[in-house]
Amino acid sequence: MSPLDVKLLRDLSRIRGQAIAILLVIAVGVLLQVMMSGLVASLTETRRAYYERNRLADVFAPVARAPDTVLSRLAALPGVARAEGRVVGAALVDIAGEAIPIQARALSLPDFGEAAFSAVYLTAGRMPDRTARDEILLLTAFARARGLAPGEVVRVTMNGARRTLRIAGLAEAPDLLFVGVPGEMMPDAARVAALWMRRSELAAAYDMQGAFNEAMLSLARGAREAQVIDAVDAVLEPWGGTGAYGRSDLVSDRFVSEEIDGLTTMSRAVPPLFLAVAASLLYIVVSRIVQSEREEIGQLKAFGYTDAEVGAHYFKLVLTIAVAGAALGCLLGVLAGRAMIPVYLTFYNFPFLVFRPDPAAFAIGAIASVAAASAGGLFVLRRVFALTPAEAMRPPAPSDFSKTLTLKGRLARLLDQPTRMVLRGIARQPWRTVALSAGVAGGMALASGMTTIYGSFERMMDLSFTVIDRSDATVTFTHPLARKAAYELARVPGVFAVEPVRDVPAVFRNRLNTHRGSVTGLIDPPELARAIGADLAPIPLPEAGIVLSRPLADILEIAPGETLTIEVREGRRPVLEVPVARVATSLIGAPAYMRLDALNRVLAEPGRISGARLRLDGARADAIYRALKDMPTVAGVSVARDARASLQKLMDQGAGSARYIMGAVAFIITFGIVYNAARIAHHERARDLASLRVIGFSRGEAGFVLLGELAVIVLAAIPVGSLAGYGLTFAIAAGFSSELYQIPAAFDPFSHGFAAAFVLGAALVSGWLVKRDMDRADLIAVLKSRD
Amino acid sequence: MALAFTVRNLGKVYGEGRSAVHALRGVSLDIPAGEIVVMLGASGSGKSTLLNILGGLDRASSGTVHFRDLCLTDLADRALTRYRRDNVGFVFQFYNLMPSLTALENVELITEIADKPMKAEEALAMVGLKERLDHFPSQLSGGEQQRVAIARAIAKQPEVLFCDEPTGALDSTTGRAVLTVLNAVNARFGTTVLMVTHAASIAGMAHRVIRLADGAISEVQVNKTRLAPEDIHW
Ligand SMILES: Nc1ncnc2c1ncn2[C@@H]1O[C@H](COP(=O)(O)OP(=O)(O)O)[C@@H](O)[C@H]1O
Ligand SMILES: [Mg+2]
């Protein structure tokens, strides 16, 4: 091995503490990059393959009841490649010991042959027998969550009739990648189900013999989706079509897309931030090493080493750290990505999902870290190369302190010598101090930003379930009923309060922006479910007009005062033009609120309600739910406590769980930065400190000079970092927010205090580590050493 | 006899304007190949500056320097590096060894890039350090470190050896050992040795003595008889 390489290895082992700290910072930056982009690639590719293999339809067209003959007309439409009808129904699954029946979607399987669209993926058992009248497939996730297996029976209510059905097999389907609990949208495998039956059986149960209530179509090559949708709507209009929609409006697909988009946003924003911090750190350290080797560089040049050879030597040092960091990061990134896969399998019904790291991510991570690292070294090397060997070898002239700080008069008398050394040391190299301080501020920003986000998740839950919606349960009717249905609910013993609501499915349009959602009619003033302003005060609902939630207003790009087009997808299906009155804060979903009577007036359906929110006596909850179950008009009950638990689970184990990895990474980086700052400050002053010791200062006093400088760096960094962290919070919150829930960004004093305490703690530990080395150092060796 | 260096009107100015320092003022000089040349002069008289320019470590402000036919003052950085690499060895007052390399590795640092080097072990044997190959600089005394530095400088078998106060940091016994080595190298390989010192008695071992004062040559003296390094005292 060449002597220069030997020198490299020995230098590396000499600075191993710092080298490892930088290596880790790079590694975690690359880890996030590899993990996030890998997840994006895996989810995107798996979804694409699943859709293709199991033939997800391009267009879905729900209809009240259309005879099978209409299908051929749909198939004949220009731009339609193929059309198939199926029967879809709402069902309730009774689980022994559960007061609340589980809401389920019942879907038809063709009597003969393969389904043209949404072919099921059998995970256990077999397909239902064509002749057995009571066999079903059950959604795998639900069966697993409830411990149900093929061969067992379940009690199901379909169209009001109770039946006992035998599970033939367990299955998944591409249009059920994401299944939300009706009325809540929360994914919760245990609280929402889907089942499949042979077409003729299901048609008999829902009065759909010879008819379908959902058409699925594929588009011909080159066909325009919007045109096909219009044509389909025209064909189905007489049969009670409620509006065809494309894949991107399929709830299941939309949520997966949201997830992928969120991950993509974060994978573009967060890892570069971490890599930038790593780069600046590496820059500081490498430039310091090169600076301190100025004389060695001069010598090498004197002996006839070329600039390129000397440069290569230091470049190798940088490269070793950067490549090792990037390699470790890639490895950890793949492991972390693999660890995240079960998370996605918990909330999305993928039949198969393998973490496939994105090769580009490896390359980007490695290149970015190496480039960042070399930039630091090269910048300083260039300055050293500009010197003649004679100049480089001459020890730098004693730093000129005469022009820095003149401490005179009263102030000077107050300051002892060590304090003056601290102040002069900082004043002599203000940029070094600023750079170190900026690094620590970056760490503080990451730490405070991430901690704030932890709090934001909690805050989102609290606001949603204690301020915005204060009900204990929500009852949904099978169809809109007269308002007196609410009074019936109120008569159930243990129900304290009943608040009627009317939810109407609708498509919102504002210029080119559309959103499929629903309008919620609330009584005036509502007590349980309310529209809340940014100040958390309830927003009074206007006489006419609609109050949109912030996410919906953002999707539609509409502001108060403008007029919104609402295409109602129920009943007479009127198209309404409604002024937007206010924008409300909302953290779950993207609701729109109107006054109940105003809504009914524009629908020309006075006095109708679609459900009610309840407050009830917790002790009698089970009896109440049993009573509700026996009411034929009740389609489903959703319990706030369960919804909250689902959301909590989603955020702790689902996509939100990435915040734990990011948080850990933020704190590792912060410590790495602070530790390096302490090391660098120490190297800069090692000789001064040893001289102090030699002339009789105690260890403590010498330590004070060192730690004093560190303290100044850290104390200056905290407010700056706190401010940057506040800004960062908004970016991270936006990344975590989805259509399902919004993570609010705010200044959280506790989080910033916590992060500041961590930075201070890291400074104390680093200071202690460095001081320990300093105390052990051989004074003579330090004084003799020329760096 | 062939000339190693031809110096004409050499000037060197550090800094600019009113704070400019004229370290060399029009130095002209011929140095024959194969001699030991000692430069004497008060501190600040310009000895190191002259040595550095001849060694290609620094650039002149005016005048010319030729190494045989090669005009050093015209060379670009790259060619100057080549010159140092191929032709010259340096020994400095403060030894300047790489602290993280052993004695042997410090010498190998040079043999690795030299054209026809001797073996590093052989160079160390010549300076009497055969037994200390694997010691780090911190484990060697000052005299030993300086001998490693000499081994490093001669290992590439340079035509010229530049020594800036090689004994400056050593006591006289240790210093004599270093001078003995330099003398032996000159005798054995015919290496031209340019040595800066402020100990006048060392001039006794030189073929030629150059005195500098205030950036100019005040006297050039050729010794009729030379002293052996062992007989020099300071
Ligand atoms: N880098 C420099 N910048 C400014 N002045 C210098 C520098 N190097 C040397 N000098 C000045 O040049 C003069 C000659 O220096 P030098 O050649 O080192 O003298 P010597 O080696 O004879 O003691 C001195 O006055 C010294 O102060
Ligand atoms: Mg000198």
Coordinates of all heavy atoms in Angstrom, one line a residue, chain A residues 1-4 6-8 10-11 14 295-307 309 385 388-391 393-394 784 786, chain B residues 14 52 56-59 77 81-82 84-85 88 90 92 94-102 105-106 108-110 112-113 136 152 156:
Chain A
M1 N 0.9 -1.2 0.0 CA 0.0 0.0 0.0 C 0.9 1.2 0.0 O 1.9 1.3 0.7 CB -0.9 0.0 1.3 CG -2.0 0.9 1.2 SD -2.8 1.2 2.7 CE -3.5 -0.4 3.1
S2 N 0.5 2.2 -0.7 CA 1.3 3.4 -0.8 C 1.3 4.2 0.5 O 0.3 4.1 1.2 CB 0.8 4.3 -2.0 OG 0.1 5.4 -1.4
P3 N 2.4 4.8 0.8 CA 2.5 5.5 2.1 C 1.4 6.5 2.3 O 0.9 6.8 3.4 CB 3.9 6.2 2.1 CG 4.6 5.6 0.9 CD 3.7 5.0 0.0
L4 N 1.0 7.2 1.2 CA -0.1 8.1 1.3 C -1.4 7.5 1.8 O -2.2 8.0 2.6 CB -0.3 8.9 0.0 CG 0.5 10.1 -0.2 CD1 0.0 10.8 -1.5 CD2 0.4 11.1 1.0
V6 N -1.5 4.8 3.5 CA -1.3 4.4 5.0 C -1.6 5.7 5.8 O -2.3 5.6 6.8 CB 0.2 4.0 5.2 CG1 0.4 3.8 6.7 CG2 0.4 2.7 4.4
K7 N -1.2 6.8 5.4 CA -1.4 8.1 6.1 C -2.9 8.3 6.1 O -3.5 8.7 7.2 CB -0.8 9.2 5.3 CG -1.1 10.6 5.8 CD -0.3 11.7 5.1 CE -0.7 13.1 5.5 NZ -2.0 13.5 5.5
L8 N -3.6 8.0 5.0 CA -5.1 8.2 5.0 C -5.7 7.4 6.1 O -6.6 7.9 6.8 CB -5.5 7.7 3.6 CG -7.0 7.8 3.4 CD1 -7.4 9.2 3.1 CD2 -7.4 6.9 2.2
R10 N -4.5 6.1 8.8 CA -4.1 6.5 10.1 C -4.9 7.8 10.5 O -5.4 8.0 11.6 CB -2.6 6.7 10.3 CG -1.9 5.4 10.0 CD -0.7 5.2 11.0 NE -0.1 3.9 10.7 CZ 1.0 3.7 10.0 NH1 1.7 4.8 9.5 NH2 1.5 2.5 9.8
D11 N -5.0 8.7 9.5 CA -5.7 10.0 9.7 C -7.2 9.7 10.0 O -7.8 10.3 10.9 CB -5.6 10.9 8.4 CG -4.3 11.5 8.3 OD1 -3.5 11.5 9.2 OD2 -4.0 12.1 7.2
R14 N -7.5 8.5 13.4 CA -7.3 9.6 14.4 C -8.6 10.4 14.5 O -9.0 10.8 15.6 CB -6.2 10.5 13.9 CG -5.9 11.7 14.8 CD -4.5 12.2 14.4 NE -4.4 12.5 13.0 CZ -4.8 13.7 12.4 NH1 -5.3 14.6 13.2 NH2 -4.7 13.8 11.1
E295 N 0.8 22.5 6.2 CA 2.2 22.3 6.1 C 2.5 21.0 5.4 O 3.4 20.9 4.6 CB 2.8 22.4 7.5 CG 3.0 23.8 8.0 CD 3.5 23.8 9.4 OE1 4.6 23.3 9.6 OE2 2.8 24.2 10.3
E296 N 1.8 20.0 5.8 CA 2.0 18.7 5.1 C 1.8 18.8 3.6 O 2.5 18.2 2.8 CB 1.1 17.6 5.7 CG 1.6 16.9 6.9 CD 1.0 17.6 8.2 OE1 0.7 18.8 8.1 OE2 1.0 16.9 9.2
I297 N 0.8 19.5 3.3 CA 0.5 19.7 1.8 C 1.7 20.4 1.2 O 2.1 20.1 0.1 CB -0.8 20.5 1.6 CG1 -2.0 19.7 2.1 CG2 -1.0 20.9 0.2 CD1 -3.3 20.4 2.2
G298 N 2.2 21.5 1.9 CA 3.3 22.2 1.3 C 4.5 21.3 1.1 O 5.2 21.3 0.1
Q299 N 4.7 20.4 2.1 CA 5.9 19.4 2.0 C 5.7 18.5 0.8 O 6.6 18.3 0.1 CB 5.9 18.5 3.2 CG 6.6 19.1 4.4 CD 6.6 18.1 5.5 OE1 7.1 17.0 5.4 NE2 5.9 18.4 6.5
L300 N 4.5 17.9 0.7 CA 4.3 17.0 -0.4 C 4.6 17.7 -1.7 O 5.2 17.1 -2.6 CB 2.8 16.5 -0.3 CG 2.5 15.5 0.8 CD1 1.0 15.2 0.8 CD2 3.3 14.2 0.6
K301 N 4.1 18.9 -1.7 CA 4.4 19.6 -3.0 C 5.9 19.9 -3.1 O 6.4 19.8 -4.2 CB 3.6 21.0 -3.0 CG 2.1 20.8 -3.2 CD 1.4 22.1 -3.1 CE 1.7 22.9 -4.3 NZ 0.8 24.2 -4.4
A302 N 6.6 20.2 -2.0 CA 8.0 20.4 -2.1 C 8.7 19.2 -2.6 O 9.7 19.3 -3.4 CB 8.5 20.8 -0.7
F303 N 8.3 18.0 -2.2 CA 8.9 16.8 -2.7 C 8.6 16.4 -4.1 O 9.1 15.5 -4.6 CB 8.4 15.6 -1.8 CG 8.8 15.8 -0.4 CD1 7.9 15.3 0.6 CD2 10.0 16.4 0.0 CE1 8.2 15.5 1.9 CE2 10.3 16.5 1.4 CZ 9.4 16.1 2.3
G304 N 7.7 17.2 -4.7 CA 7.4 17.0 -6.1 C 6.1 16.3 -6.3 O 5.8 15.8 -7.5
Y305 N 5.2 16.1 -5.3 CA 3.9 15.6 -5.5 C 3.1 16.7 -6.3 O 3.2 17.9 -6.0 CB 3.2 15.3 -4.2 CG 3.5 13.9 -3.7 CD1 4.6 13.7 -2.9 CD2 2.7 12.8 -4.1 CE1 4.9 12.4 -2.4 CE2 3.0 11.5 -3.7 CZ 4.1 11.4 -2.8 OH 4.4 10.1 -2.4
T306 N 2.3 16.3 -7.3 CA 1.6 17.3 -8.0 C 0.3 17.6 -7.3 O -0.1 16.9 -6.4 CB 1.1 16.7 -9.4 OG1 0.3 15.6 -9.2 CG2 2.3 16.3 -10.2
D307 N -0.3 18.8 -7.7 CA -1.6 19.2 -7.0 C -2.6 18.1 -7.2 O -3.4 17.8 -6.2 CB -2.1 20.4 -7.7 CG -1.4 21.7 -7.3 OD1 -0.5 21.5 -6.4 OD2 -1.6 22.8 -7.8
E309 N -2.1 14.8 -7.3 CA -1.9 13.7 -6.4 C -2.2 14.1 -5.0 O -2.8 13.3 -4.3 CB -0.4 13.4 -6.5 CG 0.0 12.6 -7.7 CD 1.5 12.6 -8.0 OE1 2.2 13.5 -7.5 OE2 1.9 11.6 -8.7
F385 N -3.7 25.1 -2.8 CA -2.9 25.0 -4.0 C -2.4 26.3 -4.5 O -1.4 26.3 -5.2 CB -3.7 24.3 -5.1 CG -4.0 22.8 -4.8 CD1 -5.0 22.1 -5.3 CD2 -3.1 22.1 -3.9 CE1 -5.2 20.8 -5.1 CE2 -3.3 20.8 -3.6 CZ -4.4 20.1 -4.2
T388 N 2.5 28.9 -2.9 CA 3.7 28.2 -3.3 C 4.1 27.3 -2.1 O 3.7 27.5 -1.0 CB 4.9 29.1 -3.5 OG1 5.2 29.8 -2.3 CG2 4.6 30.1 -4.6
P389 N 4.8 26.2 -2.4 CA 5.1 25.3 -1.3 C 5.8 26.0 -0.1 O 5.6 25.7 1.0 CB 6.1 24.3 -1.9 CG 5.9 24.4 -3.4 CD 5.4 25.7 -3.7
A390 N 6.7 27.0 -0.5 CA 7.3 27.8 0.6 C 6.3 28.5 1.5 O 6.5 28.4 2.7 CB 8.3 28.8 0.0
E391 N 5.3 29.0 0.9 CA 4.3 29.7 1.7 C 3.5 28.8 2.5 O 3.2 29.0 3.7 CB 3.4 30.5 0.8 CG 4.0 31.8 0.2 CD 3.1 32.4 -0.9 OE1 2.6 31.6 -1.8 OE2 3.0 33.6 -0.9
M393 N 4.3 25.9 3.7 CA 5.0 25.3 4.8 C 5.3 26.2 5.9 O 5.5 25.8 7.0 CB 6.3 24.7 4.3 CG 6.1 23.3 3.7 SD 7.7 22.6 3.4 CE 8.4 23.6 2.2
R394 N 5.3 27.5 5.6 CA 5.5 28.5 6.7 C 4.3 28.4 7.6 O 3.2 28.5 7.2 CB 5.7 29.9 6.1 CG 6.2 30.9 7.0 CD 6.4 32.2 6.2 NE 7.3 32.1 5.1 CZ 7.0 32.3 3.9 NH1 5.8 32.7 3.6 NH2 7.9 32.2 2.9
K784 N 4.0 20.6 21.0 CA 4.9 20.4 19.9 C 4.3 20.2 18.5 O 4.8 20.5 17.5 CB 5.8 19.1 20.2 CG 7.1 19.5 20.9 CD 7.8 18.4 21.5 CE 8.5 17.4 20.7 NZ 9.1 16.3 21.5
R786 N 2.3 20.6 15.3 CA 2.4 21.9 14.5 C 1.0 22.2 13.9 O 0.9 23.1 13.2 CB 3.5 21.8 13.5 CG 4.8 21.6 14.1 CD 5.9 21.3 13.1 NE 6.0 22.4 12.1 CZ 6.5 23.6 12.3 NH1 7.1 23.9 13.4 NH2 6.6 24.4 11.3
Chain B
Y14 N 8.5 40.8 -0.9 CA 7.3 40.3 -0.3 C 6.4 41.5 0.0 O 6.8 42.5 0.4 CB 7.6 39.6 1.1 CG 8.3 38.3 1.0 CD1 9.7 38.2 1.4 CD2 7.7 37.2 0.5 CE1 10.3 37.0 1.3 CE2 8.4 36.0 0.5 CZ 9.7 35.9 0.9 OH 10.3 34.7 0.8
N52 N 14.9 28.8 -1.2 CA 13.6 28.4 -1.6 C 13.4 28.6 -3.1 O 12.7 27.8 -3.8 CB 12.5 29.1 -0.9 CG 12.3 28.6 0.6 OD1 12.8 27.5 0.9 ND2 11.7 29.4 1.4
G56 N 12.9 25.8 -6.1 CA 11.6 25.7 -6.8 C 10.5 25.7 -5.9 O 9.4 25.3 -6.2
L57 N 10.7 26.2 -4.6 CA 9.6 26.2 -3.7 C 8.9 27.6 -3.7 O 7.8 27.8 -3.2 CB 10.1 26.0 -2.2 CG 10.7 24.6 -1.9 CD1 11.1 24.5 -0.5 CD2 9.7 23.5 -2.3
D58 N 9.6 28.6 -4.2 CA 9.0 29.9 -4.2 C 9.4 30.6 -5.6 O 10.3 30.0 -6.3 CB 9.6 30.7 -3.1 CG 8.7 31.8 -2.6 OD1 7.7 32.0 -3.3 OD2 8.9 32.3 -1.5
R59 N 8.8 31.7 -5.9 CA 9.0 32.3 -7.2 C 9.8 33.6 -7.0 O 9.5 34.3 -6.0 CB 7.7 32.5 -7.9 CG 7.1 31.3 -8.3 CD 5.9 31.5 -9.3 NE 5.6 30.3 -10.0 CZ 6.2 29.9 -11.1 NH1 7.2 30.6 -11.6 NH2 5.8 28.8 -11.6
D77 N 3.9 26.2 -13.1 CA 3.8 25.4 -11.8 C 4.1 23.9 -12.1 O 4.8 23.2 -11.3 CB 2.4 25.5 -11.2 CG 2.3 26.7 -10.4 OD1 3.4 27.3 -10.0 OD2 1.2 27.1 -10.0
T81 N 7.0 21.6 -10.5 CA 6.8 20.4 -9.7 C 7.6 19.3 -10.2 O 8.3 18.6 -9.4 CB 5.3 20.0 -9.8 OG1 4.5 21.1 -9.3 CG2 5.0 18.8 -9.0
R82 N 7.7 19.1 -11.5 CA 8.5 18.1 -12.2 C 10.0 18.3 -11.8 O 10.6 17.3 -11.4 CB 8.3 18.4 -13.7 CG 8.8 17.3 -14.6 CD 7.7 16.2 -14.7 NE 8.4 14.9 -14.2 CZ 7.7 13.8 -13.9 NH1 6.4 13.8 -14.0 NH2 8.3 12.8 -13.6
R84 N 11.2 19.7 -9.0 CA 11.4 19.3 -7.7 C 11.3 17.8 -7.5 O 12.1 17.2 -6.8 CB 10.3 19.9 -6.8 CG 10.3 21.4 -6.6 CD 9.4 21.8 -5.4 NE 8.0 21.4 -5.6 CZ 7.1 22.3 -6.1 NH1 7.4 23.5 -6.5 NH2 5.9 21.9 -6.2
R85 N 10.5 17.2 -8.3 CA 10.3 15.7 -8.2 C 11.5 15.0 -8.7 O 11.9 14.0 -8.1 CB 9.1 15.4 -9.0 CG 8.6 14.0 -8.9 CD 7.2 14.0 -9.7 NE 6.6 12.7 -9.6 CZ 5.3 12.5 -9.4 NH1 4.5 13.6 -9.3 NH2 4.7 11.3 -9.4
V88 N 15.6 17.5 -7.0 CA 16.1 18.1 -5.7 C 15.5 17.4 -4.5 O 14.4 16.8 -4.6 CB 15.7 19.6 -5.7 CG1 16.4 20.3 -6.8 CG2 14.2 19.8 -5.6
F90 N 15.0 18.0 -0.1 CA 15.0 19.1 0.9 C 15.1 18.5 2.3 O 14.6 17.5 2.6 CB 13.6 19.8 0.9 CG 13.4 20.6 -0.4 CD1 12.6 20.1 -1.4 CD2 14.0 21.9 -0.5 CE1 12.4 20.8 -2.6 CE2 13.7 22.6 -1.7 CZ 13.0 22.1 -2.7
F92 N 14.7 20.3 6.1 CA 14.3 21.5 6.8 C 14.7 21.5 8.2 O 15.0 20.5 8.8 CB 12.8 21.7 6.7 CG 12.2 21.7 5.3 CD1 11.6 20.5 4.8 CD2 12.4 22.8 4.5 CE1 11.1 20.5 3.5 CE2 11.9 22.7 3.2 CZ 11.3 21.6 2.7
F94 N 12.9 22.0 10.9 CA 12.0 21.3 11.8 C 11.6 20.0 11.3 O 10.5 19.5 11.5 CB 10.8 22.2 12.1 CG 11.1 23.4 12.9 CD1 11.1 24.7 12.3 CD2 11.5 23.3 14.2 CE1 11.5 25.8 13.0 CE2 11.8 24.5 14.9 CZ 11.8 25.7 14.3
Y95 N 12.6 19.3 10.6 CA 12.4 17.9 10.1 C 11.2 17.7 9.2 O 11.3 17.1 8.2 CB 12.4 16.9 11.2 CG 13.0 17.4 12.5 CD1 12.2 17.2 13.7 CD2 14.2 17.9 12.6 CE1 12.8 17.6 14.9 CE2 14.8 18.4 13.8 CZ 14.0 18.2 15.0 OH 14.5 18.7 16.1
N96 N 10.0 18.2 9.7 CA 8.8 18.1 8.9 C 8.5 16.7 8.4 O 8.4 16.5 7.2 CB 8.9 19.1 7.7 CG 8.7 20.5 8.1 OD1 8.4 20.8 9.3 ND2 8.9 21.4 7.2
L97 N 8.5 15.8 9.3 CA 8.1 14.4 8.9 C 6.5 14.4 9.1 O 5.9 15.1 9.8 CB 8.7 13.4 9.8 CG 10.2 13.4 9.8 CD1 10.8 12.4 10.8 CD2 10.8 13.1 8.4
M98 N 5.9 13.4 8.3 CA 4.5 13.2 8.5 C 4.3 12.4 9.8 O 4.8 11.3 10.0 CB 4.0 12.4 7.4 CG 4.1 13.0 6.0 SD 2.8 14.1 5.7 CE 3.4 15.0 4.3
P99 N 3.6 13.0 10.8 CA 3.5 12.4 12.1 C 2.8 11.0 12.0 O 3.0 10.2 12.9 CB 2.7 13.4 12.9 CG 2.1 14.3 11.9 CD 2.9 14.3 10.7
S100 N 1.9 10.9 11.0 CA 1.2 9.6 11.0 C 1.9 8.5 10.3 O 1.3 7.4 10.1 CB -0.2 9.9 10.5 OG -0.2 10.5 9.2
L101 N 3.1 8.8 9.8 CA 3.8 7.7 9.1 C 5.1 7.3 9.8 O 5.7 8.2 10.5 CB 4.2 8.2 7.7 CG 3.0 8.5 6.7 CD1 3.5 8.9 5.4 CD2 2.1 7.3 6.6
T102 N 5.5 6.1 9.7 CA 6.7 5.6 10.4 C 7.9 6.1 9.6 O 7.7 6.7 8.5 CB 6.8 4.1 10.4 OG1 6.8 3.7 9.0 CG2 5.6 3.4 11.1
E105 N 8.0 4.6 6.2 CA 6.9 5.1 5.4 C 7.2 6.6 4.9 O 6.8 7.0 3.8 CB 5.6 5.0 6.1 CG 5.1 3.6 6.2 CD 4.1 3.4 7.3 OE1 3.8 4.4 8.1 OE2 3.5 2.3 7.4
N106 N 7.8 7.4 5.8 CA 8.1 8.7 5.5 C 9.1 8.8 4.3 O 9.0 9.6 3.4 CB 8.7 9.5 6.6 CG 7.7 10.3 7.4 OD1 7.3 11.4 6.8 ND2 7.3 9.9 8.6
E108 N 9.5 6.2 2.1 CA 8.8 5.7 1.0 C 7.9 6.7 0.2 O 7.6 6.5 -0.9 CB 7.9 4.4 1.4 CG 8.8 3.2 1.6 CD 8.0 2.1 2.2 OE1 6.9 2.3 2.7 OE2 8.5 0.9 2.2
L109 N 7.4 7.6 1.0 CA 6.6 8.7 0.5 C 7.3 9.3 -0.7 O 6.7 9.7 -1.7 CB 6.4 9.7 1.6 CG 5.2 10.7 1.4 CD1 3.9 10.0 1.3 CD2 5.2 11.6 2.6
I110 N 8.6 9.4 -0.6 CA 9.4 10.0 -1.7 C 9.8 9.0 -2.8 O 9.8 9.2 -4.0 CB 10.7 10.6 -1.1 CG1 10.3 11.6 -0.1 CG2 11.6 11.2 -2.2 CD1 9.4 12.7 -0.6
E112 N 8.4 6.5 -3.7 CA 7.3 6.1 -4.5 C 7.2 6.9 -5.8 O 6.7 6.4 -6.8 CB 6.0 6.2 -3.7 CG 5.0 5.3 -4.3 CD 3.6 5.4 -3.7 OE1 3.1 6.5 -3.5 OE2 3.1 4.4 -3.3
I113 N 7.5 8.2 -5.7 CA 7.3 9.1 -6.9 C 8.6 9.4 -7.6 O 8.6 10.1 -8.6 CB 6.5 10.4 -6.5 CG1 7.3 11.2 -5.5 CG2 5.1 10.1 -6.1 CD1 6.8 12.6 -5.4
F136 N 7.5 5.8 14.8 CA 6.8 7.0 14.4 C 7.7 8.2 14.8 O 8.4 8.1 15.8 CB 5.4 7.1 15.0 CG 4.4 6.2 14.4 CD1 4.2 4.9 14.9 CD2 3.8 6.6 13.2 CE1 3.3 4.1 14.2 CE2 2.8 5.8 12.6 CZ 2.6 4.5 13.1
R152 N 15.1 10.7 3.7 CA 14.0 10.9 2.8 C 14.5 11.8 1.6 O 14.1 11.6 0.5 CB 12.9 11.7 3.6 CG 11.7 12.0 2.8 CD 10.6 12.6 3.6 NE 11.0 13.9 4.2 CZ 10.2 14.7 5.0 NH1 9.0 14.3 5.2 NH2 10.7 15.8 5.4
K156 N 15.9 9.6 -3.2 CA 15.6 9.7 -4.6 C 16.8 9.9 -5.4 O 16.7 10.0 -6.6 CB 14.5 10.7 -4.9 CG 15.0 12.2 -4.6 CD 14.1 13.2 -5.3 CE 13.0 13.7 -4.5 NZ 12.5 15.0 -5.0

